[in-house]
Amino acid sequence: MVERLRGSAAFVPGLSLVAEVGDQMVGHILLTKIRITGSGRDLASLALAPLSVVPEFRDRGVGKALVIAAHRQALELGFGSVVVVGISGYYPQFGYRPLPSYGLKVGFEARETNCFAIELVARSLGGGEGLAVYPPEWMGQ
Ligand SMILES: CC(C)(COP(=O)(O)OP(=O)(O)OC[C@H]1O[C@@H](n2cnc3c(N)ncnc32)[C@H](O)[C@@H]1OP(=O)(O)O)[C@@H](O)C(=O)NCCC(=O)NCCS
């Protein structure tokens, strides 16, 4: 998945981050470009995936540090929001809210309870019903 996304037009070099402890790489996060469409809007946004921490280094704040650093970097690069389809209990601690609360769905089959988004900049996801449109490489194409 990382290779597919890195080779796609959705890839933003500054939004692939690794966490290091000493000389060991212990975690990685990738944000890639998506569009938010519907209700008269076509906005740039980002999809967070994957986020991974090697098992021996979990529960030490590595994942948290990666998410916070990725948000900071996304803001610096001019992005105002992030969408994630992932484990349901993890993302609310960073301010993510259920995707349906923004009137949004993802354009593929996913459980609503696993879909979240955050506005790093207020109202950057726009309003009204809409779709988070992922690149084909996301689906393995
Ligand atoms: C999910 C994952 C990235 C979390 O990384 P991590 O470095 O272990 O997490 P952190 O130590 O930064 O955790 C930060 C907080 O989230 C909590 N947390 C960790 N994993 C969690 C989970 N799966 N669900 C809910 N909360 C979780 C921690 O208890 C911690 O809470 P605290 O700040 O109150 O102590 C890591 O477990 C992982 O790589 N899992 C396998 C891949 C995966 O599921 N990736 C996410 C796909 S969406």
Side-chain angles (χ1 to χ4, degrees), residues 51-53 57-64 85-87 89-91 93:
L51 165 65
S52 52
V53 175
F57 283 87
R58 288 182 191 165
D59 289 322
R60 300 188 194 184
V62 174
K64 200 171 187 169
V85 178
I87 47 178
Y90 191 65
Y91 295 96
Q93 66 183 305

